[in-house]
Amino acid sequence: MPYFDTASSAPLHPVARQALQASLDEGWADPSRLYREGRRARLLLDAAREAAAEAVGCRPDELVFTPSGTRAVHLGVSGALAGRRRVGRHVVVSSVEHSSVLHAAGDTATEVPVDRVGRVDPAAYAAALREDTALACLQSANHEVGTEQPVDRVAEVCRAAGVPLLVDAAQSLAWGPVGGDWSLLAASAHKWGGPAGAGLLVVRKGVRFAPQEPADERESGRSAGFENLPAIVAAAASLRAVRAEAAEEAVRLRALVDRIRARVPELVPDVEVVGDPVHRLPHLVTFSCLYVDGETLLHELDREGFSVSSGSSCTSSTLTPSHVLRAMGVLSEGNVRVSLPLDTTGEDVDRFLEVLPSVVSAVRERLGAPTATESTGQEPSLVVDALGKRCPIPVIELAKVIGDVPLGGTVTVLSDDEAARLDIPAWCVMRDQEYVGEETAERGTAYVVRRLV
């Protein structure tokens, strides 16, 4: 069964499995103790730190291991803010950061917008920096659409302003070190084929940093508690292993992803491939299908043997659109993220492309999606009542009647689903119609669309 969701968690690398077993046998003792078993554990810990530091491109004494990537982010943000508390508490983030970064930054953070492919403008970061800005955060590559960010240029902007930059490198570290003069970096081992329960945080020398955990004698207070040494050793070993394979695998997987990017719009009508087509991770592609419920689509693909994920509102417990897709202004409905593991074959991709059209067609038919022959009338304007119905139903109803008004006529869609605020304007972009805007309504929101074609 092809597993196409390595962006969520990569399968355990064989090297990680071997290192994990070996360290369970040799690294079970407390590395802070001076007897033989403790010294052996300390040697393993120091070797893992050196290997990870080499992969990141930092000094070993700048790197600490954490229980997870999320914990690394939270420790990095809180420590940097505490270290620069005299400057202020203002934080600058991009609007497409991982939720762990957004939550750590707080509600008062300034969000820098992105363009339609999910990329930030370094000039916008420069404009967002203030005298009381204590920290800026930017991911190296987006976790939902794969777009790579201009970290090196943003780091220059932040350095010139005297503001440290924290980079969330969870998605990209397997493919190479993060360039630029950044100040802090966080990552998570299970994203590159290491075990869950291990992350890393790098704090460059010279960065003001005050750890916000109770300190003890370990690591001068920077890594309190007994380290999960087997997970740490396996994380470092697998990072070194995937880096050794990265150049060759990146070329191979990029070719497979290019095949998906090119073929999906040819095989499935009304599909938008999102994210930067060039500056992107080599193994990840995301596309949105009109008139498709994301949760249903993922279940049907799972029935066909493919494990994929989605940033669609339909797969969220909050029933709201993905903040990444909202920031990009693209469709949230029918959103599919495919992220290929290292052992993916061309045959796996070909079978996915063979299965996808019939799965999408079946889901659309089940939801009552429009066909090319359904638009026949000539009413000057129409109102569609989609109150109480979740997306993609409001968009489906809009598509069914848009041809029933003359050119220049309008359709007003009444909806109380938050996803409609994103999906209706995005539908207009895809179908070359004009999104007029929102109007007040007794219930929900009225979305007005003018027919242009």
Side-chain angles (χ1 to χ4, degrees):
M1 178 175 178
Y3 176 77
F4 283 179
D5 193 23
T6 190
S8 292
S9 188
L12 192 66
H13 195 281
V15 169
R17 190 182 303 276
Q18 296 169 5
L20 189 62
Q21 182 60 57
S23 57
L24 284 171
D25 295 335
E26 298 292 329
W28 49 267
D30 187 341
S32 69
R33 301 308 176 189
L34 299 179
Y35 42 70
R36 181 187 304 105
E37 293 85 358
R39 294 196 304 272
R40 186 183 301 131
R42 168 56 63 177
L43 288 174
L44 288 173
L45 179 60
D46 290 344
R49 193 190 315 278
E50 290 178 4
E54 181 181 4
V56 172
C58 67
R59 293 170 38 161
D61 59 353
E62 294 175 328
L63 185 149
V64 295
F65 293 103
T66 63
S68 68
T70 296
R71 189 74 178 134
V73 166
H74 290 173
L75 290 173
V77 172
S78 64
L81 290 179
R84 286 172 52 82
R85 58 187 176 275
R86 293 183 179 179
V87 174
R89 297 283 301 177
H90 181 240
V91 182
V92 176
V93 298
S94 83
S95 58
V96 294
E97 294 299 311
H98 190 273
S99 58
S100 64
V101 175
L102 298 179
H103 292 158
D107 296 335
T108 61
T110 296
E111 292 191 6
V112 176
V114 297
D115 59 20
R116 195 169 172 82
V117 299
R119 191 172 172 87
V120 302
D121 182 355
Y125 257 84
L129 298 176
R130 309 186 320 213
E131 289 186 2
D132 63 337
T133 301
L135 179 67
C137 304
L138 179 64
Q139 58 192 196
S140 52
N142 186 258
H143 52 290
E144 288 194 25
V145 299
T147 297
E148 294 177 330
Q149 300 292 357
V151 172
D152 52 349
R153 294 167 58 196
V154 172
E156 289 180 7
V157 166
C158 293
R159 182 68 65 178
V163 175
L165 176 67
L166 184 151
V167 177
D168 174 11
Q171 291 294 335
S172 74
L173 197 58
W175 303 104
V178 178
D181 196 11
W182 45 265
S183 301
L184 304 97
L185 180 142
S188 183
H190 74 98
K191 300 293 187 180
W192 65 67
L200 60 84
L201 172 65
V202 177
V203 182
R204 295 283 201 190
K205 292 296 182 182
V207 176
R208 290 187 176 274
F209 190 84
Q212 294 304 286
E213 286 191 323
D216 67 5
E217 69 275 13
R218 301 174 188 273
E219 305 299 326
S220 302
R222 293 181 63 192
S223 182
F226 199 124
E227 295 91 345
N228 183 353
L229 187 55
I232 288 172
V233 171
S238 57
L239 181 56
R240 174 179 285 181
V242 297
R243 279 292 187 81
E245 306 164 346
E248 182 177 349
E249 280 296 298
V251 172
R252 192 178 70 83
L253 293 181
R254 186 175 290 273
L256 294 178
V257 167
D258 285 341
R259 188 186 309 175
I260 297 174
R261 292 182 66 92
R263 291 291 290 154
V264 167
E266 296 173 354
L267 296 170
V268 182
D270 296 320
V271 165
E272 180 181 23
V273 180
V274 300
D276 196 304
V278 178
H279 303 290
R280 58 174 176 81
L281 294 172
H283 69 303
L284 193 154
V285 56
T286 300
F287 54 88
S288 297
C289 304
L290 272 174
Y291 320 130
V292 169
D293 175 273
E295 186 175 14
T296 302
L297 180 57
L298 264 58
H299 283 312
E300 292 303 314
L301 286 171
D302 181 58
R303 288 164 62 91
E304 294 290 340
F306 292 94
S307 302
V308 299
S309 64
S310 173
S312 169
S313 61
C314 301
T315 62
S316 169
S317 60
T318 61
L319 301 181
T320 57
S322 155
H323 71 278
V324 171
L325 303 178
R326 183 192 300 116
M328 294 170 60
V330 298
L331 284 171
S332 73
E333 63 183 64
N335 180 266
V336 176
R337 181 184 69 180
V338 174
S339 48
L340 307 178
L342 298 180
D343 60 353
T344 303
T345 65
E347 289 75 15
D348 291 335
V349 169
D350 288 341
R351 182 169 180 275
F352 175 76
L353 293 172
E354 179 183 347
V355 165
L356 182 67
S358 60
V359 170
V360 174
S361 178
V363 175
R364 284 175 172 167
E365 183 177 357
R366 189 181 311 169
L367 293 174
T371 64
T373 60
E374 290 189 31
S375 298
T376 57
Q378 284 293 304
E379 297 293 331
S381 63
L382 286 173
V383 175
V384 173
D385 186 350
L387 293 168
K389 299 177 181 178
R390 286 174 50 189
C391 278
I393 299 302
V395 179
I396 289 175
E397 296 303 318
L398 166 63
K400 285 181 177 179
V401 303
I402 190 68
D404 294 345
V405 299
L407 295 177
T410 62
V411 175
T412 300
V413 182
L414 302 177
S415 177
D416 49 9
D417 183 2
E418 179 65 22
R421 179 168 280 110
L422 173 63
D423 288 344
I424 290 177
W427 178 89
C428 291
V429 172
M430 287 187 66
R431 302 307 297 266
D432 296 322
Q433 309 292 355
E434 179 187 354
Y435 177 63
V436 178
E438 300 179 13
E439 295 181 353
T440 57
E442 291 185 6
R443 289 181 55 207
T445 304
Y447 302 95
V448 182
V449 175
R450 177 173 287 109
R451 182 186 175 192
L452 299 182
V453 293

